[in-house]
Amino acid sequence: MSFALVALPIPLRHTFIYRVPAALEATCVPGAPVTVPFRGRPRRGIVVERVTKSAVADTRELTAVNGPPLLDAHLLALTRWMADYYLAPWGEVIAAAMPGGQQGLAASRARKGAVEDPIVTLGLATRITLTREQASATRAIEQAVRARRFAPLLLQGVTGSGKTEVYLRAAAAAREAGGQTLVLVPEVALGSQIVREFRRRFDRRVGVLHSYLATGERRRNWELARRGALDVVVGARSAVFAPLPRLVLVIVDEEHEPSYKQSEQLRYHGRDTAVRRAQMLGIPVVLGSATPSLESLANAARGKYRKLLLPDRVDGRKLPVVRVVDMRREGAGTLLSTPLRAALAARLERGEQALLFLNRRGHSHHSQCRACGHVPTCPHCDIALTLHLTPSVWRCHYCDHEETARPTCPRCGASFMRLSGAGTQRVERELAQAFAGTKVLRLDTDVARDHAAPAEVIRRFAKGEAPILLGTQMIAKGLDFPRVTLVGVLDADVALHLPDFRAAERTFQLVTQVAGRSGRGKTAGEVIVQTCTPEHPAIAASMTHDLATFARAELAERKEAGYPPYTRLAALLLTGADEDEVERAAEAMGGHLRAASGDDVIVLGPAPAALAKLRGRFRWHLLLKGADGSRVREVAAAGLDWAESKSRPGGVKVAVDVDPTDVL
Ligand code: ADP
Ligand code: ZN
């Protein structure tokens, strides 16, 4: 008799065994999509292993094999590693790795022959002569590709040092060696400049994968990649699962970006998974950034990663001069300081462009009645509603709940609301007053509700349709506008005071990245950073582009406080509609974790999460901390085992986050 282990996309962290009928013997291979009976109804899953024995008496029979394997042995192994590492059900990891998510498990490969290999014109000449540093970085990557050995390379290059050109040359070398390259970018919509460059050089041998694509289009690119008809795949986080039979090089651009971490459903880190994938295949992986994560810097310092440096901008261009404006000395309530107004006026006069950055959308994050003190908050979440204009609504930034905003207090009817926490829409107003008649483009998630909008805004700004582009972090990274000679950071303190141990790192990265958008053409750039804490190390260091000094100081603090990269963390989040029930479950979870923790893992909590209620569910959390990551995961797994057992309160959901990035 023969059996198959099947992974199902359900929240249980083990596989299920089924008997394989003789008729399905040949097709029931690892990776194949199958239908099996489960709790009285048919379910779709993936065969992960064939075995000859079953420990279960009267094992049930597998119903159907739905097509050829959807995953090869390597991707099965990668998803298996993720399931183990992130303490997730293997079936759910596999579902996440399918181009159509869970439904992807259903479909066998579509309509043979329907997808044709792209016809391409290759070898478009480039007139760029590499700088000495670019050339030596490219050589190092090419050698690693040829050597076919795992080699993690940290490409640390200041903004405008030409990292993209290095990626392009490395991918070309990989192609010449007959191999495929996977390029991960933080966001595809805005990564479109990098996509354009790859398209220019590789024509239609480049496939783009991102969630905005219709499922059919994604499946098509997936199929082309799997068939080997693409030389390069560019995509966001989930492209790390792209099937690439000839993969010889992985590139992770802006490796420090928080968006590589998925913090819902399957909680995994795209960069870390990419490094693991390269390690499993024995190929090089390039992590590129002007502001590498402290984890990667620590790995480089330990000799685990090899550093490739691009210390200067190309063409002898200078890094911009950064000026800090102390907002405590500016008029109360103003968003545009006197120096920033003057600098903007000068740009308008000279026909140059400016970027203004504020990491808060909407008009005001906080409305409070001056008479009774009432703050309009979301009925479903424990958070103040943000005032938005056109239309005038109070909106929850977590669940999108909306109420019509009135100028009067909803509780006492008084007519004065104090507004604080200015967002992009309020800046838009202030600009309209200060520079009447000047066109301002805005880019934030409100604009991006229409998926095509960001690319359109960027195209119009690049064409010079407006002298000012105002936006949130969506404009902070990757953009290359040669006519921008001024960048204004309107409030550098927004991210600095979050109760998160990464707050300083994030602030340094954000300010440095956004400053890096200035002076990328022939004219030298200027940056104005508005802050109320000019002395803070993260802000002081970004003034002088001094990554080394900042990293040294910040790493020392992390070591002192026992935070990553010197320890490993795992968070457990418990949510439910009944607050008491959630609290009781969290207390019980604490007991189980402490029983398993020994003296090498510290259990912190339980405590209500900083966002204590979200979409009507109360949230409590616990944090595990230890020097040894596998011990931390072991303790977290003990907590999950209890959560998956029958003894836990029914209405409470438990989620685990290994290597969490937002610890609030
Ligand atoms: P980074 O990603 O490091 O910030 P980019 O890759 O965006 O920098 O490069 C900045 C600009 O410099 C781009 O317009 C690119 O085409 C150009 N560039 C890259 N390498 C060179 C070079 N060696 N000589 C001249 N221009 C270059
Ligand atoms: Zn809400």
Side-chain angles (χ1 to χ4, degrees):
M1 276 228 245
S2 88
F3 301 90
L5 297 182
V6 175
L8 296 173
I10 56 172
L12 290 174
R13 287 172 305 126
H14 53 86
T15 54
F16 300 84
I17 192 159
Y18 291 90
R19 191 151 42 79
V20 180
L24 302 180
E25 192 56 48
T27 50
C28 186
V29 293
V34 291
T35 304
V36 294
F38 185 79
R39 292 189 183 152
R41 63 187 191 93
R43 281 212 76 121
R44 292 178 195 276
I46 294 279
V47 176
V48 292
E49 203 182 328
R50 289 294 304 265
V51 290
T52 50
K53 283 199 190 77
S54 171
V56 188
D58 61 1
T59 309
R60 265 168 311 163
E61 196 164 85
L62 194 137
T63 319
V65 175
N66 304 322
L70 296 175
L71 293 96
D72 62 12
H74 160 65
L75 282 173
L76 269 179
L78 182 70
T79 52
R80 169 71 192 266
W81 172 81
M82 288 179 76
D84 289 345
Y85 187 88
Y86 292 109
L87 303 171
W90 194 357
E92 291 197 341
V93 179
I94 291 173
M98 295 289 119
Q102 282 234 9
Q103 297 99 309
L105 289 184
S108 59
R109 208 151 291 127
R111 315 155 300 262
K112 269 215 180 68
V115 180
E116 278 176 28
D117 284 8
I119 299 160
V120 294
T121 352
L122 276 173
L124 287 172
T126 162
R127 261 172 291 156
I128 289 180
T129 315
L130 295 184
T131 64
R132 205 158 42 89
E133 287 84 7
Q134 279 176 315
S136 85
T138 307
R139 244 191 335 270
I141 301 169
E142 282 174 11
Q143 275 164 10
V145 168
R146 273 198 299 275
R148 300 244 169 170
R149 262 200 309 271
F150 172 57
L153 305 166
L154 180 62
L155 179 65
Q156 183 183 320
V158 298
T159 55
S161 59
K163 292 185 288 294
T164 311
E165 191 58 38
V166 174
Y167 303 152
L168 289 162
R169 304 280 176 121
R175 184 191 139 77
E176 265 157 48
Q180 294 172 303
T181 299
L182 171 64
V183 184
L184 294 185
V185 294
E187 261 162 80
V188 177
L190 295 180
S192 53
Q193 282 183 336
I194 206 171
V195 172
R196 221 176 28 240
E197 282 301 315
F198 270 98
R199 277 235 194 282
R200 223 165 56 79
R201 309 283 171 91
F202 294 85
D203 199 6
R204 289 171 58 200
R205 302 283 295 183
V206 177
V208 179
L209 292 173
H210 62 82
S211 50
Y212 299 160
L213 285 178
T215 310
E217 176 75 7
R218 243 185 299 164
R219 286 228 177 101
R220 200 185 92 91
N221 284 341
W222 210 258
E223 175 57 21
L224 288 174
R226 196 197 54 81
R227 201 195 285 170
L230 297 178
D231 294 322
V232 180
V233 162
V234 184
R237 188 174 57 218
S238 65
V240 74
F241 298 113
L244 295 156
R246 295 183 284 110
L247 184 60
V248 297
L249 174 64
V250 179
I251 294 168
V252 183
D253 188 31
E254 309 288 6
E255 65 90 27
H256 64 279
E257 271 296 323
S259 60
Y260 282 120
K261 177 70 199 299
Q262 177 157 299
S263 296
E264 318 186 306
Q265 284 153 2
L266 174 61
R267 292 164 164 83
Y268 73 100
H269 203 296
R271 175 200 60 209
D272 298 349
T273 304
V275 171
R276 186 67 199 186
R277 187 169 181 185
Q279 190 180 34
M280 292 173 99
L281 288 171
I283 60 172
V285 52
V286 178
L287 307 180
S289 178
T291 52
S293 61
L294 289 183
E295 278 83 355
S296 294
L297 288 172
N299 278 331
R302 262 185 240 139
K304 276 179 72 180
Y305 291 1
R306 176 168 165 209
K307 220 189 239 189
L308 307 174
L309 282 175
L310 305 178
D312 302 306
R313 285 189 161 181
V314 296
D315 257 6
R317 286 167 214 161
K318 295 263 177 305
L319 281 169
V321 175
V322 181
R323 241 203 307 166
V324 170
V325 174
D326 187 341
M327 291 305 274
R328 292 169 301 189
R329 305 220 183 102
E330 292 289 318
T334 184
L335 302 173
L336 305 169
S337 62
T338 316
L340 182 57
R341 279 168 195 252
L344 275 171
R347 280 358 180 251
L348 296 179
E349 199 155 296
R350 295 204 293 262
E352 295 167 4
Q353 288 182 305
L355 281 181
L356 295 180
F357 171 77
L358 178 63
N359 213 3
R360 258 191 312 226
R361 65 198 167 93
H363 180 278
S364 302
H365 262 229
H366 203 83
S367 318
Q368 185 169 30
C369 173
R370 283 181 207 254
C372 76
H374 175 70
V375 175
T377 49
C378 177
H380 315 293
C381 308
D382 184 24
I383 203 87
L385 293 169
T386 296
L387 176 65
H388 282 249
L389 309 175
T390 58
S392 185
V393 290
W394 278 314
R395 184 179 290 152
C396 173
H397 278 193
Y398 287 90
C399 75
D400 259 3
H401 167 83
E402 260 183 28
E403 298 175 14
T404 307
R406 280 162 302 218
T408 54
C409 174
R411 190 164 76 183
C412 76
S415 59
F416 287 109
M417 298 293 279
R418 194 168 61 87
L419 302 175
S420 53
T424 44
Q425 293 185 346
R426 198 170 136 203
V427 179
E428 213 171 22
R429 289 235 155 157
E430 203 166 312
L431 284 169
Q433 277 159 14
F435 302 100
T438 300
K439 189 156 181 58
V440 176
L441 289 166
R442 196 184 92 220
L443 186 50
D444 53 31
T445 23
D446 292 318
V447 175
R449 272 160 196 260
D450 169 4
H451 286 159
E456 179 62 13
V457 170
I458 285 168
R459 193 188 60 78
R460 289 170 58 193
F461 188 66
K463 263 179 55 191
E465 273 183 33
I468 298 174
L469 174 60
L470 160 70
T472 55
Q473 65 197 3
M474 297 186 84
I475 64 165
K477 56 210 166 195
L479 301 176
D480 187 19
F481 301 114
R483 270 189 291 176
V484 169
T485 60
L486 172 69
V487 163
V489 178
L490 299 180
D491 185 354
D493 307 341
V494 171
L496 202 52
H497 305 300
L498 294 176
D500 182 339
F501 73 91
R502 284 181 219 268
E505 180 184 359
R506 289 273 157 78
T507 300
F508 174 78
Q509 289 166 344
L510 214 51
V511 174
T512 308
Q513 290 287 343
V514 75
R517 303 307 115 209
S518 186
R520 293 167 74 95
K522 293 205 169 55
T523 317
E526 185 187 11
V527 180
I528 292 180
V529 176
Q530 303 187 151
T531 172
C532 288
T533 48
E535 65 288 343
H536 191 285
I539 291 175
S542 52
M543 250 182 92
T544 46
H545 314 282
D546 193 350
L547 172 67
T549 304
F550 173 72
R552 212 176 308 121
E554 184 62 19
L555 282 170
E557 290 216 359
R558 297 277 181 91
K559 196 166 198 169
E560 175 77 28
Y563 274 116
Y566 299 101
T567 55
R568 304 310 284 267
L569 305 177
L572 286 134
L573 177 69
L574 293 90
T575 62
D578 181 324
E579 193 168 13
D580 290 340
E581 201 181 33
V582 176
E583 181 177 350
R584 273 199 308 278
E587 295 289 352
M589 173 66 87
H592 288 278
L593 294 174
R594 288 198 167 84
S597 65
D599 52 13
D600 54 351
V601 176
I602 299 167
V603 183
L604 300 166
L611 183 62
K613 189 181 164 202
L614 176 66
R615 296 185 185 97
R617 296 177 74 84
F618 294 91
R619 299 151 56 86
W620 279 65
H621 64 178
L622 296 112
L623 191 65
L624 305 176
K625 199 179 192 183
D628 177 355
S630 60
R631 276 288 297 143
V632 171
R633 290 194 302 277
E634 230 170 77
V635 174
L640 286 180
D641 287 342
W642 168 71
E644 284 170 19
S645 71
K646 300 224 156 50
S647 52
R648 119 195 101 118
V652 179
K653 269 198 203 146
V654 178
V656 67
D657 193 343
V658 175
D659 300 335
T661 47
D662 304 296
V663 179
L664 293 175

Tab-separated table of all heavy atoms in Angstrom, residues 152-156 255 287 292-309 547-548 551-553 555-556 559 565-566:
chain	number	residue	atom	x	y	z
A	152	PRO	N	26.155	35.810	0.398
A	152	PRO	CA	25.358	36.990	0.697
A	152	PRO	C	26.208	38.252	0.577
A	152	PRO	O	27.244	38.374	1.227
A	152	PRO	CB	24.904	36.765	2.141
A	152	PRO	CG	25.830	35.750	2.719
A	152	PRO	CD	26.631	35.118	1.623
A	153	LEU	N	25.796	39.165	-0.303
A	153	LEU	CA	26.582	40.373	-0.575
A	153	LEU	C	25.754	41.594	-0.203
A	153	LEU	O	24.620	41.742	-0.668
A	153	LEU	CB	26.942	40.418	-2.058
A	153	LEU	CG	27.672	39.185	-2.609
A	153	LEU	CD1	27.680	39.197	-4.131
A	153	LEU	CD2	29.095	39.126	-2.067
A	154	LEU	N	26.306	42.440	0.633
A	154	LEU	CA	25.595	43.661	1.023
A	154	LEU	C	26.124	44.820	0.184
A	154	LEU	O	27.247	45.267	0.370
A	154	LEU	CB	25.813	43.926	2.523
A	154	LEU	CG	25.137	45.177	3.098
A	154	LEU	CD1	23.620	45.091	2.965
A	154	LEU	CD2	25.514	45.363	4.573
A	155	LEU	N	25.300	45.259	-0.780
A	155	LEU	CA	25.696	46.367	-1.645
A	155	LEU	C	25.258	47.664	-0.976
A	155	LEU	O	24.102	48.071	-1.064
A	155	LEU	CB	25.050	46.229	-3.023
A	155	LEU	CG	25.370	47.344	-4.032
A	155	LEU	CD1	26.847	47.354	-4.391
A	155	LEU	CD2	24.523	47.197	-5.292
A	156	GLN	N	26.206	48.273	-0.280
A	156	GLN	CA	25.902	49.499	0.452
A	156	GLN	C	26.369	50.680	-0.384
A	156	GLN	O	27.559	50.930	-0.516
A	156	GLN	CB	26.610	49.453	1.808
A	156	GLN	CG	26.300	50.636	2.690
A	156	GLN	CD	27.092	50.575	3.990
A	156	GLN	OE1	27.260	49.515	4.588
A	156	GLN	NE2	27.616	51.706	4.414
A	255	GLU	N	16.909	46.765	0.879
A	255	GLU	CA	16.679	45.613	1.746
A	255	GLU	C	16.190	45.989	3.141
A	255	GLU	O	15.645	45.156	3.855
A	255	GLU	CB	17.957	44.773	1.839
A	255	GLU	CG	19.147	45.470	2.527
A	255	GLU	CD	19.209	45.248	4.026
A	255	GLU	OE1	18.716	44.227	4.493
A	255	GLU	OE2	19.760	46.131	4.718
A	287	LEU	N	22.003	42.164	-1.344
A	287	LEU	CA	21.099	43.032	-0.590
A	287	LEU	C	21.573	44.463	-0.788
A	287	LEU	O	22.682	44.803	-0.390
A	287	LEU	CB	21.120	42.669	0.897
A	287	LEU	CG	20.858	41.205	1.263
A	287	LEU	CD1	20.921	41.002	2.774
A	287	LEU	CD2	19.490	40.756	0.746
A	292	PRO	N	21.365	50.327	5.039
A	292	PRO	CA	21.057	48.928	5.369
A	292	PRO	C	20.469	48.789	6.767
A	292	PRO	O	20.725	49.620	7.643
A	292	PRO	CB	22.420	48.243	5.306
A	292	PRO	CG	23.291	49.135	4.506
A	292	PRO	CD	22.789	50.523	4.729
A	293	SER	N	19.686	47.727	6.935
A	293	SER	CA	19.125	47.431	8.249
A	293	SER	C	20.256	47.126	9.222
A	293	SER	O	21.333	46.678	8.822
A	293	SER	CB	18.208	46.217	8.148
A	293	SER	OG	18.951	45.094	7.718
A	294	LEU	N	20.015	47.345	10.493
A	294	LEU	CA	21.052	47.056	11.484
A	294	LEU	C	21.360	45.561	11.515
A	294	LEU	O	22.483	45.165	11.791
A	294	LEU	CB	20.626	47.563	12.854
A	294	LEU	CG	20.616	49.089	12.985
A	294	LEU	CD1	20.244	49.509	14.381
A	294	LEU	CD2	21.961	49.693	12.610
A	295	GLU	N	20.363	44.727	11.188
A	295	GLU	CA	20.612	43.287	11.114
A	295	GLU	C	21.677	42.992	10.065
A	295	GLU	O	22.622	42.230	10.312
A	295	GLU	CB	19.325	42.535	10.732
A	295	GLU	CG	18.372	42.270	11.878
A	295	GLU	CD	17.473	43.456	12.186
A	295	GLU	OE1	17.664	44.533	11.568
A	295	GLU	OE2	16.589	43.317	13.048
A	296	SER	N	21.522	43.587	8.876
A	296	SER	CA	22.480	43.315	7.801
A	296	SER	C	23.849	43.909	8.113
A	296	SER	O	24.877	43.298	7.820
A	296	SER	CB	21.953	43.860	6.469
A	296	SER	OG	20.805	43.135	6.097
A	297	LEU	N	23.855	45.094	8.716
A	297	LEU	CA	25.140	45.698	9.089
A	297	LEU	C	25.857	44.820	10.117
A	297	LEU	O	27.071	44.615	10.044
A	297	LEU	CB	24.934	47.104	9.644
A	297	LEU	CG	24.542	48.156	8.610
A	297	LEU	CD1	24.181	49.472	9.291
A	297	LEU	CD2	25.673	48.382	7.598
A	298	ALA	N	25.085	44.282	11.063
A	298	ALA	CA	25.694	43.413	12.067
A	298	ALA	C	26.222	42.135	11.415
A	298	ALA	O	27.303	41.649	11.756
A	298	ALA	CB	24.682	43.086	13.166
A	299	ASN	N	25.472	41.600	10.444
A	299	ASN	CA	25.940	40.408	9.727
A	299	ASN	C	27.218	40.694	8.957
A	299	ASN	O	28.104	39.845	8.866
A	299	ASN	CB	24.858	39.897	8.766
A	299	ASN	CG	23.822	39.052	9.485
A	299	ASN	OD1	24.128	38.398	10.494
A	299	ASN	ND2	22.608	39.061	8.989
A	300	ALA	N	27.313	41.891	8.389
A	300	ALA	CA	28.530	42.267	7.665
A	300	ALA	C	29.698	42.408	8.648
A	300	ALA	O	30.805	41.936	8.383
A	300	ALA	CB	28.307	43.566	6.903
A	301	ALA	N	29.417	43.029	9.798
A	301	ALA	CA	30.482	43.218	10.788
A	301	ALA	C	30.999	41.873	11.300
A	301	ALA	O	32.182	41.706	11.573
A	301	ALA	CB	29.964	44.066	11.951
A	302	ARG	N	30.109	40.889	11.394
A	302	ARG	CA	30.490	39.556	11.856
A	302	ARG	C	31.141	38.710	10.768
A	302	ARG	O	31.475	37.558	10.986
A	302	ARG	CB	29.231	38.803	12.290
A	302	ARG	CG	28.995	38.830	13.773
A	302	ARG	CD	27.794	37.953	14.094
A	302	ARG	NE	26.764	38.764	14.719
A	302	ARG	CZ	25.457	38.664	14.470
A	302	ARG	NH1	25.010	37.805	13.582
A	302	ARG	NH2	24.611	39.433	15.088
A	303	GLY	N	31.191	39.263	9.549
A	303	GLY	CA	31.796	38.505	8.459
A	303	GLY	C	30.846	37.522	7.798
A	303	GLY	O	31.240	36.765	6.916
A	304	LYS	N	29.565	37.533	8.187
A	304	LYS	CA	28.598	36.627	7.547
A	304	LYS	C	28.235	37.139	6.153
A	304	LYS	O	27.964	36.359	5.247
A	304	LYS	CB	27.326	36.521	8.392
A	304	LYS	CG	27.440	35.503	9.517
A	304	LYS	CD	26.165	35.448	10.346
A	304	LYS	CE	24.989	34.780	9.613
A	304	LYS	NZ	23.779	34.766	10.469
A	305	TYR	N	28.148	38.451	5.994
A	305	TYR	CA	27.881	39.065	4.691
A	305	TYR	C	29.133	39.784	4.221
A	305	TYR	O	29.853	40.366	5.016
A	305	TYR	CB	26.761	40.114	4.798
A	305	TYR	CG	25.378	39.578	5.075
A	305	TYR	CD1	25.133	38.216	5.255
A	305	TYR	CD2	24.301	40.455	5.156
A	305	TYR	CE1	23.855	37.752	5.515
A	305	TYR	CE2	23.014	40.002	5.411
A	305	TYR	CZ	22.806	38.646	5.604
A	305	TYR	OH	21.531	38.202	5.857
A	306	ARG	N	29.338	39.759	2.897
A	306	ARG	CA	30.444	40.532	2.357
A	306	ARG	C	29.911	41.875	1.880
A	306	ARG	O	28.898	41.942	1.183
A	306	ARG	CB	31.055	39.764	1.184
A	306	ARG	CG	32.133	40.545	0.511
A	306	ARG	CD	32.915	39.670	-0.437
A	306	ARG	NE	33.692	40.522	-1.323
A	306	ARG	CZ	34.026	40.196	-2.548
A	306	ARG	NH1	33.645	39.028	-3.044
A	306	ARG	NH2	34.735	41.019	-3.279
A	307	LYS	N	30.620	42.940	2.260
A	307	LYS	CA	30.152	44.277	1.921
A	307	LYS	C	30.766	44.742	0.604
A	307	LYS	O	31.970	44.637	0.404
A	307	LYS	CB	30.555	45.230	3.041
A	307	LYS	CG	29.493	46.247	3.394
A	307	LYS	CD	30.059	47.279	4.341
A	307	LYS	CE	29.288	47.313	5.649
A	307	LYS	NZ	29.699	48.456	6.477
A	308	LEU	N	29.915	45.273	-0.292
A	308	LEU	CA	30.390	45.925	-1.513
A	308	LEU	C	29.981	47.388	-1.388
A	308	LEU	O	28.809	47.688	-1.220
A	308	LEU	CB	29.737	45.303	-2.749
A	308	LEU	CG	29.836	43.778	-2.889
A	308	LEU	CD1	29.007	43.297	-4.080
A	308	LEU	CD2	31.290	43.348	-3.060
A	309	LEU	N	30.949	48.281	-1.469
A	309	LEU	CA	30.667	49.688	-1.177
A	309	LEU	C	30.627	50.564	-2.423
A	309	LEU	O	31.491	50.467	-3.304
A	309	LEU	CB	31.743	50.247	-0.246
A	309	LEU	CG	31.649	49.890	1.242
A	309	LEU	CD1	32.860	50.433	1.977
A	309	LEU	CD2	30.360	50.437	1.848
A	547	LEU	N	26.177	57.181	8.231
A	547	LEU	CA	25.617	55.880	8.583
A	547	LEU	C	26.466	55.178	9.637
A	547	LEU	O	25.945	54.612	10.598
A	547	LEU	CB	25.509	55.001	7.325
A	547	LEU	CG	25.119	53.546	7.544
A	547	LEU	CD1	23.705	53.417	8.057
A	547	LEU	CD2	25.269	52.740	6.257
A	548	ALA	N	27.789	55.232	9.478
A	548	ALA	CA	28.671	54.472	10.363
A	548	ALA	C	28.514	54.920	11.815
A	548	ALA	O	28.364	54.085	12.713
A	548	ALA	CB	30.121	54.622	9.915
A	551	ALA	N	25.037	53.901	13.111
A	551	ALA	CA	24.922	52.459	13.335
A	551	ALA	C	25.684	52.046	14.592
A	551	ALA	O	25.199	51.233	15.382
A	551	ALA	CB	25.444	51.693	12.120
A	552	ARG	N	26.867	52.614	14.784
A	552	ARG	CA	27.666	52.257	15.954
A	552	ARG	C	26.911	52.595	17.244
A	552	ARG	O	26.768	51.765	18.141
A	552	ARG	CB	29.009	52.982	15.914
A	552	ARG	CG	30.123	52.180	16.554
A	552	ARG	CD	31.490	52.858	16.435
A	552	ARG	NE	31.837	53.252	15.069
A	552	ARG	CZ	32.110	54.507	14.694
A	552	ARG	NH1	32.072	55.503	15.557
A	552	ARG	NH2	32.413	54.774	13.435
A	553	ALA	N	26.373	53.809	17.300
A	553	ALA	CA	25.664	54.245	18.505
A	553	ALA	C	24.396	53.419	18.726
A	553	ALA	O	24.101	52.972	19.832
A	553	ALA	CB	25.317	55.726	18.391
A	555	LEU	N	23.633	50.401	17.519
A	555	LEU	CA	23.918	48.999	17.843
A	555	LEU	C	24.295	48.856	19.316
A	555	LEU	O	23.896	47.894	19.983
A	555	LEU	CB	25.031	48.449	16.937
A	555	LEU	CG	24.595	48.076	15.513
A	555	LEU	CD1	25.798	47.771	14.628
A	555	LEU	CD2	23.634	46.879	15.519
A	556	ALA	N	25.056	49.833	19.822
A	556	ALA	CA	25.435	49.785	21.240
A	556	ALA	C	24.183	49.842	22.123
A	556	ALA	O	24.073	49.114	23.109
A	556	ALA	CB	26.381	50.937	21.570
A	559	LYS	N	22.325	46.509	22.054
A	559	LYS	CA	23.033	45.506	22.830
A	559	LYS	C	22.694	45.694	24.305
A	559	LYS	O	22.318	44.758	25.003
A	559	LYS	CB	24.544	45.664	22.609
A	559	LYS	CG	25.344	44.459	23.039
A	559	LYS	CD	26.755	44.552	22.491
A	559	LYS	CE	27.431	43.184	22.532
A	559	LYS	NZ	28.677	43.189	21.771
A	565	PRO	N	19.842	43.345	16.646
A	565	PRO	CA	20.273	41.997	16.239
A	565	PRO	C	20.980	41.187	17.322
A	565	PRO	O	21.507	40.130	17.003
A	565	PRO	CB	21.229	42.303	15.073
A	565	PRO	CG	21.750	43.663	15.341
A	565	PRO	CD	20.695	44.406	16.089
A	566	TYR	N	20.940	41.639	18.578
A	566	TYR	CA	21.648	40.892	19.624
A	566	TYR	C	20.775	39.858	20.312
A	566	TYR	O	21.265	39.024	21.058
A	566	TYR	CB	22.252	41.862	20.639
A	566	TYR	CG	23.245	42.753	19.957
A	566	TYR	CD1	22.907	44.053	19.603
A	566	TYR	CD2	24.489	42.257	19.583
A	566	TYR	CE1	23.797	44.847	18.910
A	566	TYR	CE2	25.388	43.048	18.891
A	566	TYR	CZ	25.029	44.349	18.557
A	566	TYR	OH	25.911	45.116	17.857
